[in-house]
Amino acid sequence: MSKDPERFDTMLLAMAQQHEGGVPELLDTIFSFLARKTDFYTGGGDKAAENMVMSAFKRYETAAVSAHAKKKAEMEQNERKRQERIRAKEEEERRASQAFMNQSANITELTDEEAEALQKELDEKKSKTKDAPEASGDSSDDKTSSSPTKTEKDKDKKDNDKKDSDEDDEPDKLKPNIGNGCDLPNYRWTQTLGDLEILIPLNVNFTVRSRDVIVNIQKKHFSVGLKGHPAIIDGELQHEIKLEESMWVLQDGKSVLANLEKVNQMEWWSRLVMTDPEISTKKINPEPSKLSDLDGETRGLVEKMMYDQRQKELGKPTSEEAKKQEMLKKFMAQHPEMDFSKCKFN
């Protein structure tokens, strides 16, 4: 076994992409090469080549099946959590609606006599308020303090204008679904910063088998369909994905669930493929994440950003500024003969 099993991945992936027939065509090329350019079939004795192939096949079959099962279990768990979030949100909306209905049921309509008495009472209170300044010299101050000032009115107006502006921002883009993706007529997709999950219903009246499904995952292209049927998805991905970390599974013979891992795990996608309508990434509501969930490089970057933000809030230097100050102190210590008293440091 190679010490670095991923050493030739780039080369092999490039080869695989050149074989439109998929794995069978790739294997045909490899065994053709071994037959034409090596003594693979004849150099080791009777059935030595076959035993060698089967030994390698069995060794990696166990690892591949185990990894596939683990990934499938994770995807199914993510789908269950997504369904639970949807049900929780629906229940919350149902309760809010029921509370509103209950409140509305408690509102009773006034009779003509009651309405007339209420109006008379309001008119009397209004009249007393109008006469109040003549009765007390302090009333004008009370009125001033209880009424909103022009500055407060202007501030409220600006806040309302800003709220309206935010609500109308990117009106030509769709609002993300509960999974920060989009629900489309033929499929739905959700995303985290690290990956995308696509659920594609097959909508046929028979149980589909894996061999009936055609899934093509490339670095910048994604397509799914059934043999003999038009492709359900077939387009250029908005950004690149990691081929070796992406996979798909057939669920209950009725739908395909695909998981694509992003290359850039610091950005949100506004669409899955370039022919899809865009969602507004400004309206994405990511779930709280733990630093322990991030990879080492991303975690270090996030921790640095959080530290710098705290330092700014406290009026203290950021990590970069502290580093520059430390370098400056060392330079001044190394050159005591220089006069820095008239220097201005930013």
Side-chain angles (χ1 to χ4, degrees):
M1 185 188 297
S2 172
K3 292 182 179 179
D4 183 7
E6 299 181 0
R7 185 167 47 149
F8 301 109
D9 280 1
T10 303
M11 184 189 306
L12 291 170
L13 284 171
M15 287 178 56
Q17 291 173 354
Q18 299 299 317
H19 292 78
E20 296 182 358
V23 173
E25 190 175 316
L26 175 63
L27 289 176
D28 187 70
T29 298
I30 292 173
F31 284 111
S32 171
F33 167 78
L34 293 173
R36 290 181 292 102
K37 300 295 183 180
T38 72
D39 63 348
F40 175 74
Y41 288 98
T42 58
D46 187 33
K47 291 194 175 183
E50 181 181 349
N51 292 336
M52 189 185 305
V53 170
M54 292 306 299
S55 174
F57 174 84
K58 291 293 184 183
R59 182 167 66 250
Y60 290 107
E61 179 188 31
T62 302
V65 170
S66 176
H68 179 81
K70 182 179 178 181
K71 191 78 173 179
K72 181 179 179 181
E74 289 176 355
M75 292 172 67
E76 290 175 346
Q77 184 178 10
N78 290 338
E79 177 65 14
R80 285 195 298 271
K81 288 182 178 179
R82 185 184 67 81
Q83 292 292 344
E84 289 172 2
R85 289 197 301 270
I86 292 174
R87 286 194 292 270
K89 186 174 182 181
E90 290 175 346
E91 177 64 18
E92 183 180 349
E93 292 175 349
R94 187 192 67 77
R95 289 180 179 176
S97 176
Q98 185 63 43
F100 176 78
M101 294 291 290
N102 293 339
Q103 185 178 3
S104 299
N106 293 329
I107 299 174
T108 56
E109 187 176 351
L110 297 177
T111 64
D112 292 341
E113 292 79 5
E114 290 172 331
E116 186 177 350
L118 179 60
Q119 184 61 48
K120 184 178 179 181
E121 183 180 347
L122 291 173
D123 290 342
E124 289 176 355
K125 287 183 179 180
K126 186 176 180 181
S127 177
K128 289 179 181 178
T129 303
K130 186 177 179 181
D131 295 339
E134 298 178 2
S136 173
D138 295 331
S139 297
S140 59
D141 294 336
D142 294 340
K143 182 178 179 182
T144 302
S145 62
S146 62
S147 301
T149 63
K150 183 177 183 301
T151 304
E152 291 171 337
K153 289 180 179 179
D154 291 342
K155 183 178 182 300
D156 290 342
K157 184 176 184 301
K158 287 180 181 179
D159 291 342
N160 290 334
D161 290 344
K162 184 178 184 303
K163 183 178 178 182
D164 293 340
S165 174
D166 291 342
E167 290 176 353
D168 294 338
D169 196 20
E170 299 184 323
D172 56 328
K173 295 183 180 180
L174 300 176
K175 182 180 179 181
N177 62 19
I178 195 170
N180 296 319
C182 190
D183 296 332
L184 299 169
N186 295 328
Y187 59 94
R188 75 183 308 273
W189 64 275
T190 59
Q191 65 175 322
T192 65
L193 275 175
D195 60 10
L196 304 109
E197 193 169 276
I198 308 101
L199 180 64
I200 309 106
L202 298 175
N203 295 326
V204 289
N205 55 7
F206 58 89
T207 300
V208 178
R209 296 165 295 182
S210 295
R211 64 188 181 189
D212 299 323
V213 182
I214 303 174
V215 179
N216 184 16
I217 302 176
Q218 298 181 21
K219 206 166 188 179
K220 198 77 191 298
H221 192 93
F222 180 61
S223 65
V224 177
L226 286 173
K227 290 180 180 178
H229 294 73
I232 302 172
I233 307 176
D234 187 7
E236 179 187 357
L237 293 167
Q238 185 178 28
H239 302 292
E240 291 188 354
I241 60 169
K242 297 179 182 179
L243 285 180
E244 61 275 16
E245 300 296 335
S246 300
M247 62 166 290
W248 65 274
V249 294
L250 180 64
Q251 292 192 140
D252 304 323
K254 296 179 181 179
S255 62
V256 171
L257 183 64
N259 184 275
L260 310 180
E261 185 159 338
K262 300 177 181 178
V263 169
N264 184 347
Q265 301 196 342
M266 294 295 288
E267 68 179 348
W268 296 103
W269 289 27
S270 63
R271 58 177 66 166
L272 178 64
V273 293
M274 298 307 293
T275 52
D276 284 348
E278 283 192 283
I279 63 170
S280 173
T281 54
K282 294 181 180 180
K283 297 176 182 177
I284 278 178
N285 184 27
E287 292 185 5
S289 300
K290 298 179 181 177
L291 285 176
S292 57
D293 295 336
L294 304 175
D295 61 74
E297 183 179 354
T298 305
R299 177 175 178 173
L301 178 61
V302 172
E303 287 178 337
K304 179 179 179 297
M305 291 170 62
M306 292 171 64
Y307 171 80
D308 288 345
Q309 182 63 31
R310 284 196 300 269
Q311 291 294 95
K312 286 181 179 180
E313 291 173 353
L314 295 172
K316 296 181 179 180
T318 63
S319 55
E320 291 295 329
E321 292 168 346
K323 190 183 297 183
K324 290 178 182 178
Q325 290 179 7
E326 186 63 28
M327 291 174 63
L328 180 60
K329 286 180 182 178
K330 288 182 180 180
F331 181 81
M332 292 172 68
Q334 292 169 358
H335 299 277
E337 74 282 1
M338 298 181 66
D339 182 14
F340 294 95
S341 61
K342 296 182 179 180
C343 294
K344 183 179 180 181
F345 303 109
N346 295 323

